[in-house]
Every structure is written in structure tokens, then in C-alpha cells.
Amino acid sequence: MRYVIGGAEIRTENAAKPSSQKSSSVDDYIGSLDNAPSILDFGCGKLRYSDTLVSAASKVTFVDSAVQLSRKQVIREEKTTVEKYVEANYPGCNTVSYEKLNEHNSKYDVITCTNVLSAIPCKETISDVMNHIFRLLKKDGLAIFVNQHRSSYFKRYESGERLLYGFLHSGPKGTSYYGVFDRTAIEQLLTEHGYRVIRTWCVGETTFSEAIPNS
Ligand SMILES: C[S@@+](CC[C@H](N)C(=O)[O-])C[C@H]1O[C@@H](n2cnc3c(N)ncnc32)[C@H](O)[C@@H]1O
């Protein structure tokens, strides 16, 4: 997804990391989901966790911006697109763009949102993402948010301009944004959007939150 902030374009598709850079705590957590849930992975990026998601789930819907889903890039050593990779490798799974998500009404047992909120430099879009996840969860569904509450990588951003949950950074490759969500920030965001937080815990620099729709 691309955002324009103060005249600068932020290409958040470039923030996605490849599957060779999985976080083992996130991968282990996803791998531990039981009962083969239907999963929607919100902001799937370059499919960093897709193998683990597909092994744990009955089916997975991968959501990201149209540009992230359709651009050519290297995924597990293959030059392809996210859309083509999912179609060729994960039977029964599909992709839906954020731009077309309003037309998507399937409900899911689990929705994962891994390191996505930190990439969004726009309050309204963060709210829209939170509302979509709420809307697409089954009544007894579980939303899982994974965020960095601290990051060594974040250090270089701190000289930049403050924005929302983090900083804007202008470098030779353009402007980027990096937000940091600690326990208080994510729990507040969840509560404001009608979720009930089940539990929040930290592993290293990562905060995991499980939440359900408040009924
Ligand atoms: C840091 S990457 C994380 C990707 C993946 N979840 C992972 O952990 O590897 C952030 C992703 O959020 C996506 N993104 C940004 N805004 C979005 C939006 N409004 N809807 C869906 N995806 C979005 C970007 O395109 C990018 O792929």
C-alpha cells in the first residue's frame, strides 16, 4: 500500500521481509494453532509465514495491497507474484486485495496481522484495518496481532519526524515510516475498536496480542 504524507510517498510494500527472515517465535506460535482453523492473514507481505499458516489451517486467505499482491518479486527463490505463488502452491487458498476487501464477506476462525500496523502511517487506515478484521471474524473467532514494542532497527528512525506511533525516515531510497506498538498502545487500539483482549505477552522485542470481538 502506498501512502502520501506531507508530499512524500511511502511504499509500504517494501517493508515486507522474505521467508528466510522468519521470526522463530512468530513461526512457532502460528505453527501451534490447533483445530485447523480457517485463517485470513492480513498484510501477508512476501508470504514470510505462508508455509506455516497453510500447514496449520484448513484454508488461508492472504490479504495485502493490490500492488503487493500483483508485483513481480522473488518468493522462495522463484520470480513470481504473491497471487501466482498462492494459486500454484496452496490449493484451496486465495488472495484478496485490501482495495477489494469491502466486497469480501467470508468469516474466519483466526485472523493474523503480523507487523502490519507498524507499517501504516495513517490513523484512518489503521482504524479501517481494525474494523475489517473485526467484521471478518466469526463470532467466536480469534484475532492475533504481532508487533514490535522495541526494535534495534528502529534506532535509525528516531532522528526522523515523529508521526502516529513512530517516526518518518527520509533516506536515499525515499521516505519510510516505522511505528512501535507496546502493550499499552495495542491494547488501547483494540479496546477502541470493540475487541476484548484475551492476553498479551512479549518474546524478545515482539508483543503478541490475542483478542476477540466484544459481543
Ligand atoms: C512489514 S510488512 C509485514 C508483512 C508480513 N505480515 C510479514 O510479517 O512478513 C507490512 C505489510 O503491510 C502491508 N500493508 C500496508 N498497508 C496495508 C493495508 N492497508 N492493507 C493491507 N496490507 C497493508 C504492506 O504492503 C506490507 O506487505
Side-chain angles (χ1 to χ4, degrees), residues 130 133-134 137 143 145 190-191 193-197 211-214:
M130 300 303 287
I133 293 176
F134 191 100
L137 272 177
F145 292 85
L190 283 163
T191 310
H193 288 84
Y195 294 83
R196 182 150 68 83
V197 179
I212 57 171
N214 229 343

Side-chain angles (χ1 to χ4, degrees), residues 154-171:
F154 184 62
K155 274 274 156 225
R156 71 182 159 96
Y157 278 78
E158 287 175 353
S159 57
E161 187 188 325
R162 257 209 155 281
L163 181 76
L164 275 176
Y165 295 93
F167 293 88
L168 281 174
H169 174 78
S170 295

Side-chain angles (χ1 to χ4, degrees), residues 1 3 12-13 15 42-43 45 48 64 68 98 114-116 125:
M1 194 82 184
Y3 301 87
T12 64
E13 66 272 17
F42 205 111
R48 180 160 48 150
D64 208 295
Q68 183 71 289
Y98 172 71
T114 306
N115 293 114
V116 176
T125 310

Side-chain angles (χ1 to χ4, degrees), residues 175-199:
T175 304
S176 48
Y177 165 80
Y178 194 82
V180 167
F181 285 79
D182 60 11
R183 176 190 291 260
T184 310
I186 187 62
E187 290 193 346
Q188 190 177 328
L189 191 68
L190 283 163
T191 310
E192 278 168 12
H193 288 84
Y195 294 83
R196 182 150 68 83
V197 179
I198 300 294
R199 61 178 183 136

Side-chain angles (χ1 to χ4, degrees), residues 90-204:
Y90 303 138
C93 297
N94 63 325
T95 51
V96 178
S97 70
Y98 172 71
E99 290 83 346
K100 293 216 169 135
L101 203 53
N102 276 329
E103 298 162 28
H104 187 74
N105 293 308
S106 303
K107 305 275 185 199
Y108 294 85
D109 298 311
V110 170
I111 299 187
T112 49
C113 184
T114 306
N115 293 114
V116 176
L117 300 177
S118 56
I120 303 179
C122 168
K123 195 169 187 282
E124 291 72 28
T125 310
I126 290 179
S127 260
D128 195 49
V129 168
M130 300 303 287
N131 292 337
H132 272 304
I133 293 176
F134 191 100
R135 175 181 75 80
L136 294 167
L137 272 177
K138 286 185 184 169
K139 269 205 170 67
D140 55 350
L142 183 70
I144 297 160
F145 292 85
V146 177
N147 294 293
Q148 304 302 119
H149 57 260
R150 176 167 28 94
S151 170
S152 3
Y153 169 74
F154 184 62
K155 274 274 156 225
R156 71 182 159 96
Y157 278 78
E158 287 175 353
S159 57
E161 187 188 325
R162 257 209 155 281
L163 181 76
L164 275 176
Y165 295 93
F167 293 88
L168 281 174
H169 174 78
S170 295
K173 290 189 184 157
T175 304
S176 48
Y177 165 80
Y178 194 82
V180 167
F181 285 79
D182 60 11
R183 176 190 291 260
T184 310
I186 187 62
E187 290 193 346
Q188 190 177 328
L189 191 68
L190 283 163
T191 310
E192 278 168 12
H193 288 84
Y195 294 83
R196 182 150 68 83
V197 179
I198 300 294
R199 61 178 183 136
T200 300
W201 71 102
C202 299
V203 181

